[in-house]
Amino acid sequence: MQQNMKIDAIDRRILQVLKQDGRISNVQLAQRVDLSPSACLRRVQELEKNGVIKGYRVVTSPEHMGRGFVAYVTVGLSSHTKAAQEGFERAMLVAQEVAECHNIAGSFEYLLRVETKDLSSYKRFHTDVLGTQAHVSAISTHIVMNSSKDERG
């Protein structure tokens, strides 16, 4: 994998279109970025080969999946050892409610995106999952009321 692949304006347009619609056909993509289909396909394959495009995925509606309650949760640990962090991360990997787990810099060690059915389901997660972790010393919940912009892929 080439680390410093030069991304030009055409590559940026390709990436922008693919972020909006990862299922677009190569012919349609080529038309949208003003390239021939063969040149467009070569560029997409090069972006994939060099790790710029890491994959394609389905983005589901949390509401349709029964996970319409979304919260961002900051978590502080009482111990900053490698073992404490690895233990917390392992627990979050298997917690179905945790859609994202980020080790962050600042006042807290972790930022979680948690998706549950409703507030009572979140409370169960808060108590039975986060509340049972050995080194968790602080939990702060930020409930998502609306998302005017969400570009997660």
Side-chain angles (χ1 to χ4, degrees):
M1 176 172 70
Q2 183 179 344
Q3 293 295 324
N4 295 321
M5 179 182 173
K6 184 163 172 61
I7 307 292
D8 64 15
I10 295 171
D11 291 333
R12 287 189 201 326
R13 286 200 320 260
I14 289 170
L15 293 168
Q16 181 180 22
V17 172
L18 286 174
K19 280 175 116 177
Q20 293 170 351
D21 182 3
R23 292 178 49 114
I24 192 170
S25 73
N26 183 62
V27 171
Q28 291 172 317
L29 177 60
Q31 290 171 344
R32 297 259 314 263
V33 299
D34 297 322
L35 285 176
S36 70
S38 59
C40 184
L41 183 59
R42 277 193 303 275
R43 281 181 176 260
V44 170
Q45 289 172 335
E46 194 69 18
L47 290 165
E48 291 170 343
K49 184 179 104 183
N50 286 296
V52 176
I53 296 175
K54 295 172 81 173
Y56 300 88
R57 60 182 56 118
V58 171
V59 178
T60 59
S61 162
E63 293 82 11
H64 286 93
M65 300 300 293
R67 297 166 67 95
F69 182 88
V70 178
Y72 284 90
V73 182
T74 54
V75 178
L77 300 182
S78 58
S79 175
H80 299 102
T81 64
K82 183 176 181 178
Q85 289 183 338
E86 288 174 347
F88 180 78
E89 290 173 8
R90 274 193 306 276
M92 295 306 100
L93 279 174
V94 298
Q96 293 181 357
E97 300 87 352
V98 177
E100 298 175 33
C101 177
H102 306 279
N103 183 225
I104 60 173
S107 303
F108 294 92
E109 282 70 44
Y110 289 92
L111 175 65
L112 310 176
R113 178 182 169 90
V114 177
E115 299 174 352
T116 64
K117 179 181 178 187
D118 52 24
L119 179 60
S120 63
S121 300
Y122 173 75
K123 184 173 182 341
R124 274 192 300 281
F125 166 78
H126 185 281
T127 302
D128 298 341
V129 178
L130 289 180
T132 62
Q133 296 307 303
H135 298 288
V136 170
S137 63
I139 303 169
S140 181
T141 302
H142 308 271
I143 298 170
V144 175
M145 296 170 54
N146 182 43
S147 297
S148 60
K149 181 176 183 179
D150 184 347
E151 294 185 358
R152 287 173 296 118

